[in-house]
Amino acid sequence: MTVVPPAAPARERMLRATLEIIGEDGIGGVTNRAVAARAHVSLGSLTYHFASQDDLLRESLLRFVTAEAERLEAFGSALEGTELTLEEAAAGVLQIVQDARPHEELAQFELYLQASRDPALRAVAQRCFAAYDRAARATLVALGVPDPDPLVPAVIALVDGFELRRLALGTAADEALPEALAALVRAGRAAHA
């Protein structure tokens, strides 16, 4: 369990604490008492900042998605006008995976599941997928894939599948991911040859 440092502003601590709890215990583990304790705030402060638990949940997930989108935008922007080898692309994807915090990755998958039940979270999930789509597209373009758009969802699904498996099994990043990505890219290139 990580305890959010008390130096950050109260609202920020509450959002970070909520995201950590989601990553550790799932959305069902988010209680006002748990968030307040981890964020070092009173229950009254929590209810002052967030009218409902749904508001707290949505804002914490939106905070994560915003930060993740910025991280992926930087990755995609760095690729503009470059050419990548399959090895370089695989290394870049592995770096993105390795840079992610486990509790945030788990919270991301919780977001996807909760969005299927809560229409108000669908926009947040769409924003998350859009950021991943842009990064995948930039990678495919840098790899010289002639028509990258049909492959974008497959790349995202492949990486998410490997990550979900890794998180569920508690293992390190799967060494088969780079080869699976390379095979997908080769298939995309071959389809237009």
Side-chain angles (χ1 to χ4, degrees):
M1 173 175 90
T2 305
V3 176
V4 179
R11 185 178 185 82
E12 175 69 16
R13 292 195 317 263
M14 290 178 234
L15 293 171
R16 288 171 57 189
T18 302
L19 194 61
E20 287 179 6
I21 292 168
I22 293 169
E24 291 170 8
D25 301 323
I27 288 175
V30 176
T31 65
N32 286 353
R33 288 190 190 282
V35 172
R38 187 168 299 203
H40 304 287
V41 299
S42 68
L43 284 172
S45 181
L46 184 69
T47 57
Y48 171 79
H49 286 283
F50 301 98
S52 71
Q53 226 177 41
D54 285 343
D55 291 342
L56 174 63
L57 187 62
R58 284 186 196 104
E59 194 165 332
S60 68
L61 291 171
L62 181 59
R63 178 189 181 278
F64 160 73
V65 168
T66 300
E68 187 70 353
E70 289 171 2
R71 184 171 80 105
L72 293 169
E73 289 296 330
F75 176 80
S77 293
L79 293 178
E80 287 181 18
T82 66
E83 291 182 17
L84 290 177
T85 65
L86 286 171
E87 293 78 20
E88 292 167 333
V93 170
L94 278 177
Q95 190 63 53
I96 285 175
V97 167
Q98 291 169 345
D99 287 348
R101 295 182 185 119
H103 73 271
E104 290 179 348
E105 286 183 288
L106 288 166
Q108 178 182 347
F109 286 112
E110 288 280 342
L111 162 64
Y112 297 159
L113 292 173
Q114 191 64 18
S116 71
R117 300 176 192 106
D118 181 354
L121 280 176
R122 288 198 181 125
V124 177
Q126 287 171 344
R127 188 170 174 189
C128 192
F129 275 115
Y132 281 102
D133 288 352
R134 287 189 297 273
R137 187 178 193 291
T139 301
L140 292 167
V141 167
L143 283 166
V145 174
D147 185 16
D149 293 331
L151 283 183
V152 167
V155 168
I156 299 306
L158 180 69
V159 173
D160 276 352
F162 269 87
E163 276 307 281
L164 185 58
R165 179 184 175 95
R166 180 184 70 77
L167 290 167
L169 298 177
T171 59
D174 195 325
E175 298 298 322
L177 176 59
E179 186 51 41
L181 283 169
L184 188 61
V185 168
R186 284 192 291 270
R189 286 177 177 161
H192 292 90

